[in-house]
Amino acid sequence: MNTAAQALDVRAFNRFYTRRIGMLAPTLSGSGFTLPQARVLWELSHHAPVSAAALSKGLQLDAGYLSRLLRGLKARGLLAEQAHPSDGRQRLLRLSAAGRRAFAPLDRGSQAETEALLAPLSTPQRQALLGAMSRIQAVLEPEAAAIELRPPLPGDLGWLVERHGAIYAAEYGLDARFEALVARICADFVDRFDPAREACWIAMRGAERLGAVMLVQARSDRTGRPRPGVAQLRLLLLEPHARGLGLGKRLVHQCSGFARGAGYRRVVLWTQSALTAARAIYAAEGYRLKHSEAAHNFGQDVVSETWELAL
């Protein structure tokens, strides 16, 4: 699809969404304020005092158009001014007491309308909607989209299993036995969890999951007993659209820092030679390849590798 056709799709979505959230109505939430007026009031409620120039830049509004908006709000007694602390030529804007009283029901009405929009949706539908919104913002304004690492919440480990199964099947041809292995690793993490020595991080951008990693106590493959002083990095995952953000390095480094703080002497991990991007991240963190062998795992001929980081 070429750019012109894609632009038509974006415009069609814009028409749908502006209609769906009531942007075509003459006033917002039945308040008597137009959408631009309401947006200015919101900014002054949350970010004041601010100069008209900064307001124009932040809202990407033409200075002349913004000046007319401000004059109208001033005429209604909704704005107040104060001197700039370091530039006597500038005046800073804020809401007056009347402005705060006028904005409060507008804000409540907008909140109620948004809650009504979400109310008919199931929890998965809400998560999908919020994730899509977060992804749009991150693509169009990547500098404004902060990524948070947080502990897993209910549903996160199920997501981790599902995404491992789907991504590794699509990209490497691994069969359902790999997804089953990931499910067992997640179950073991819950059953054996020691918060002083083990952790899992879910990378979030708004409401969207972008990736994850685990650090656990390493155990003997034969006996299942802990290996003293040895941790294991497990289940590093990045959504395909989240690659190239430095997030994989951040997740791996998070594991290294936690392992040092927990008193481990080494961190080990298992991977495959075909995972070249992950191998580069491990090498950059200081991991060294210790062992490799050909194997037939998960329906594919692979080269299995063990890497180790000395702390």
Side-chain angles (χ1 to χ4, degrees), residues 172 236 238 243 248-249 272-283:
Y172 302 102
L236 176 65
L238 292 178
R243 296 168 187 169
K249 293 181 180 179
Q272 296 178 6
S273 62
L275 277 64
T276 54
R279 293 172 81 253
I281 292 172
Y282 301 142

Side-chain angles (χ1 to χ4, degrees), residues 206-229:
E208 180 187 20
R209 301 180 183 101
L210 296 183
V213 73
M214 281 183 183
L215 187 89
V216 300
Q217 168 72 64
R219 293 176 179 272
S220 166
D221 292 335
R222 184 174 59 84
T223 67
R225 293 177 179 174
R227 298 170 58 188

Side-chain angles (χ1 to χ4, degrees), residues 17-304:
Y17 193 62
T18 52
R19 173 184 57 79
R20 189 67 179 83
I21 63 174
M23 287 181 62
L24 301 180
T27 60
L28 188 67
S29 303
S31 64
F33 293 104
T34 66
L35 178 62
Q37 288 173 331
R39 188 70 171 87
V40 169
L41 291 175
W42 189 94
E43 288 293 329
L44 293 176
S45 174
H46 290 78
H47 300 138
V50 63
S51 68
L55 196 58
S56 174
K57 182 178 179 181
L59 293 176
Q60 298 185 5
L61 285 177
D62 173 76
Y65 177 58
L66 176 61
S67 180
R68 293 191 293 275
L69 286 175
L70 293 175
R71 280 200 303 270
L73 295 173
K74 286 179 184 177
R76 297 165 67 173
L78 304 180
L79 303 187
E81 294 184 345
Q82 65 187 63
H84 194 288
S86 59
D87 186 350
R89 297 168 298 177
Q90 289 196 57
R91 305 291 290 176
L92 299 180
L93 299 168
R94 57 181 173 82
L95 293 182
S96 65
R100 292 193 297 273
R101 288 194 298 270
F103 177 72
L106 169 63
D107 194 38
R108 289 195 298 269
S110 182
Q111 177 73 13
E113 288 183 355
T114 305
E115 291 178 5
L117 180 71
L118 294 173
L121 305 181
S122 65
T123 296
Q125 287 174 323
R126 294 184 189 189
Q127 291 174 340
L129 177 65
L130 295 173
M133 289 176 168
S134 174
R135 189 178 302 178
I136 289 172
Q137 181 181 8
V139 169
L140 296 180
E141 292 186 348
E143 70 285 352
I147 298 175
E148 170 198 7
L149 303 187
R150 63 158 173 77
L153 299 176
D156 284 335
L157 296 183
W159 166 82
L160 191 55
V161 173
E162 185 271 332
R163 294 309 292 153
H164 266 88
I167 291 173
Y168 279 80
E171 297 186 358
Y172 302 102
L174 303 190
D175 62 24
R177 286 171 289 185
F178 178 70
E179 189 171 353
L181 171 64
V182 176
R184 283 193 293 271
I185 292 171
C186 287
D188 287 342
F189 176 78
V190 173
D191 291 342
R192 299 169 172 171
F193 182 56
D194 177 356
R197 302 185 61 77
E198 298 180 314
C200 176
W201 295 273
I202 308 296
M204 301 293 298
R205 184 168 56 194
E208 180 187 20
R209 301 180 183 101
L210 296 183
V213 73
M214 281 183 183
L215 187 89
V216 300
Q217 168 72 64
R219 293 176 179 272
S220 166
D221 292 335
R222 184 174 59 84
T223 67
R225 293 177 179 174
R227 298 170 58 188
V230 184
Q232 185 171 6
L233 186 153
R234 311 209 76 167
L235 303 186
L236 176 65
L237 178 76
L238 292 178
E239 289 285 2
H241 63 273
R243 296 168 187 169
L245 302 176
L247 182 55
K249 293 181 180 179
R250 183 178 169 188
L251 288 166
V252 170
H253 190 65
Q254 185 82 5
C255 288
S256 303
F258 182 91
R260 289 188 179 94
Y264 288 109
R265 298 189 301 272
R266 292 182 291 148
V267 183
V268 297
L269 63 85
W270 172 85
T271 188
Q272 296 178 6
S273 62
L275 277 64
T276 54
R279 293 172 81 253
I281 292 172
Y282 301 142
E285 182 69 11
Y287 283 83
R288 296 293 177 261
L289 177 62
K290 291 296 183 178
H291 178 73
S292 64
E293 62 179 350
H296 187 82
N297 291 331
F298 317 117
Q300 297 292 324
D301 292 324
V302 300
V303 177
S304 176

